[in-house]
Amino acid sequence: SCSNGSTTNVSSTILVTSGTYDGGCRVFNATSALGDGSQSESQKPVFRVENGATLRNVVLGNNAADGIHFYNGGTIDNIRWSNVGEDAFTIKSSGTVNARNITGYAGEDKFIQVNAASTLNVSNCVVDNMGKFLRQNGGTTFKIVVNVDRCQISNMKEGIFRTDSSTSTARITNSRLRNAGSICIGKWASCTSSG
Ligand code: DGU
Ligand code: CA
Ligand code: CA
Ligand code: CA
């Protein structure tokens, strides 16, 4: 994990379009140009990861605006949201997203938002104090495949996985859940918890 380095103020979204962007454990804090970290839907992300690129070693600071957006898949590794903003990360277009060694605190609503058919693999996460862990965009029926392994999830007001799609699947393995609400909410083709 990261111990705090210096702070970088972010006024326009940082694009990660190929290879690896290493944040060096700096704290990246959104300015009002990106949003205020509230539930406003008009905010911009702090990072945009595309086409299989990797973002690593980043702390999102007190203002995380709309977090991290993925287009066409990508990987995040060793990322901490000290104060989740509108949401922590969003899958905006299809692909495979890997999220490893991630920690998120203090979200008002969703941690992960999935807005496109995709596969999401989350491993080694700690997520505490928000509405829900993952939401497939309301009213959508495309298929998502979600695998969560070795996570600690606590204090979800609503629950862990929510979809309106009867083709989507979710599973959580080897994880610790405490006051995490309902594990499976909605129509999931399959939704399981084990270990
Ligand atoms: O009205 O699609 O909050 O992507 C519903 C919208 C909403 C999304 C979501 C997001 O669900 O904008 O952050
Ligand atoms: Ca939202
Ligand atoms: Ca959002
Ligand atoms: Ca927050």
mmCIF file of all heavy atoms in Angstrom, residues 41 86-87 110, ligand 2:
data_model
loop_
_atom_site.group_PDB
_atom_site.id
_atom_site.type_symbol
_atom_site.label_atom_id
_atom_site.label_comp_id
_atom_site.label_asym_id
_atom_site.label_seq_id
_atom_site.Cartn_x
_atom_site.Cartn_y
_atom_site.Cartn_z
ATOM 1 N N GLU A 41 -24.042 14.127 -11.199
ATOM 2 C CA GLU A 41 -23.667 13.225 -12.298
ATOM 3 C C GLU A 41 -22.847 13.929 -13.380
ATOM 4 O O GLU A 41 -22.446 13.302 -14.347
ATOM 5 C CB GLU A 41 -24.921 12.614 -12.931
ATOM 6 C CG GLU A 41 -25.654 11.634 -12.033
ATOM 7 C CD GLU A 41 -24.969 10.283 -11.922
ATOM 8 O OE1 GLU A 41 -23.964 10.054 -12.625
ATOM 9 O OE2 GLU A 41 -25.449 9.449 -11.131
ATOM 10 N N GLU A 86 -18.439 10.716 -6.494
ATOM 11 C CA GLU A 86 -19.757 10.296 -7.007
ATOM 12 C C GLU A 86 -19.803 8.771 -7.068
ATOM 13 O O GLU A 86 -20.771 8.158 -6.639
ATOM 14 C CB GLU A 86 -20.030 10.955 -8.368
ATOM 15 C CG GLU A 86 -21.514 11.002 -8.719
ATOM 16 C CD GLU A 86 -22.066 9.680 -9.196
ATOM 17 O OE1 GLU A 86 -21.445 9.048 -10.071
ATOM 18 O OE2 GLU A 86 -23.127 9.260 -8.684
ATOM 19 N N ASP A 87 -18.761 8.168 -7.637
ATOM 20 C CA ASP A 87 -18.514 6.727 -7.489
ATOM 21 C C ASP A 87 -17.007 6.545 -7.598
ATOM 22 O O ASP A 87 -16.287 7.502 -7.879
ATOM 23 C CB ASP A 87 -19.307 5.877 -8.509
ATOM 24 C CG ASP A 87 -19.280 6.431 -9.907
ATOM 25 O OD1 ASP A 87 -18.222 6.936 -10.329
ATOM 26 O OD2 ASP A 87 -20.310 6.364 -10.596
ATOM 27 N N LYS A 110 -22.545 4.400 -4.808
ATOM 28 C CA LYS A 110 -21.901 3.208 -5.366
ATOM 29 C C LYS A 110 -20.386 3.287 -5.266
ATOM 30 O O LYS A 110 -19.800 4.358 -5.408
ATOM 31 C CB LYS A 110 -22.270 3.068 -6.844
ATOM 32 C CG LYS A 110 -23.765 3.024 -7.080
ATOM 33 C CD LYS A 110 -24.090 3.417 -8.519
ATOM 34 C CE LYS A 110 -25.558 3.770 -8.648
ATOM 35 N NZ LYS A 110 -25.846 4.452 -9.926
HETATM 36 CA CA CA B 2 -23.629 7.576 -10.207
#
